[in-house]
Amino acid sequence: MDPALAAQISEVVAEKMLQYRRDESGWKICREGNGVSVSWRPSAEFPGNLYRGEGIVNGTPEQVWDCVKPLAGTLRDKWDENVNSFEIIESITDTQCVSRTTTPSAVMKLISPRDFVDLVLVKTYEDGTISSNATSVEHLLCPPKPGYVRGFNHPCGCFCGPLPGEPNKTSLVTFFQTDLSGYLPQGVVDSFFPRSMAGFYASLQKAVKKFYG
């Protein structure tokens, strides 16, 4: 992928992620519990929703990031039940790559296996927060594969940051804005994301404990 184009796309995505994080207007809570809050608002990118997850994870930001980072060496496919496999299609820089993620069937197989090809940029901010910033792209080395419906991630990612005075805890804010494609009833999609995001936080907490004690 052309590095200049990749940089341009990723900077736009990173700016949108910061806007999502800063803009408190229009969010409606759809799931709360176990210290995790999931909210949504209509997406400005496609006829679906933008979902926001917020929670505190027991573990240092470095430990949590190792579990969630969308880069080579991630532990994500070892603990996240919504990720079957993760591979790097192309490394563009140390902090930017094109990846392919596959997901299993879900909701009693109403949602068949998906795959996503994303351009990912990792940024580190002055306060120590690390962010992933991703959006789906087409890539010559990764055409659609048999057995998978190609989904599309509109600008999405996470902010993994320190908590002042709490060195062994991490604030994790996640954003999902995914077009699952295929002919899915909207009700299935609307119920799937809040439940899977809440499950993501619970599974992540167990993973950090498992890998780092």
Side-chain angles (χ1 to χ4, degrees), residues 144-163:
K145 305 273 177 90
Y148 292 94
V149 175
R150 177 64 51 91
F152 192 97
N153 283 320
H154 295 275
C156 61
C158 71
F159 291 91
C160 180
L163 273 183

Side-chain angles (χ1 to χ4, degrees), residues 20 27 29 50-51 69-71 101 110 112 121 127 144 154 213:
Y20 297 159
W27 297 102
I29 292 175
L50 167 63
Y51 291 94
K69 64 182 179 184
L71 297 172
T101 306
L110 281 174
S112 57
L121 174 69
D127 67 350
H154 295 275

Side-chain angles (χ1 to χ4, degrees), residues 22-151:
R22 291 172 182 151
D23 186 0
E24 297 294 336
S25 63
W27 297 102
K28 299 174 184 175
I29 292 175
C30 53
R31 195 177 183 103
E32 274 188 306
N34 299 319
V36 176
S37 171
V38 180
S39 51
W40 69 277
R41 71 183 191 196
S43 169
E45 304 288 333
F46 79 119
N49 295 327
L50 167 63
Y51 291 94
R52 172 179 178 144
E54 297 177 82
I56 306 299
V57 181
N58 292 317
T60 67
E62 292 77 18
Q63 292 168 346
V64 174
W65 177 249
D66 272 350
C67 289
V68 301
K69 64 182 179 184
L71 297 172
T74 184
L75 299 170
R76 183 83 177 265
D77 55 351
K78 293 179 172 60
W79 63 266
D80 189 342
E81 63 185 19
N82 288 316
V83 174
N84 260 357
S85 68
F86 177 86
E87 60 181 311
I88 303 295
I89 303 300
E90 180 186 0
S91 289
I92 300 169
T93 68
D94 287 347
T95 57
Q96 190 178 42
C97 66
V98 177
S99 67
R100 177 176 181 257
T101 306
T102 65
T103 64
S105 60
V107 195
M108 296 182 291
K109 299 193 175 178
L110 281 174
I111 300 176
S112 57
R114 257 60 179 173
D115 73 345
F116 301 87
V117 176
D118 297 319
L119 175 64
V120 182
L121 174 69
V122 171
K123 295 193 74 163
T124 303
Y125 294 94
E126 288 182 6
D127 67 350
T129 296
I130 309 172
S131 72
S132 65
N133 308 270
T135 192
S136 285
V137 292
E138 292 187 357
H139 198 284
L140 290 174
L141 296 178
C142 201
K145 305 273 177 90
Y148 292 94
V149 175
R150 177 64 51 91

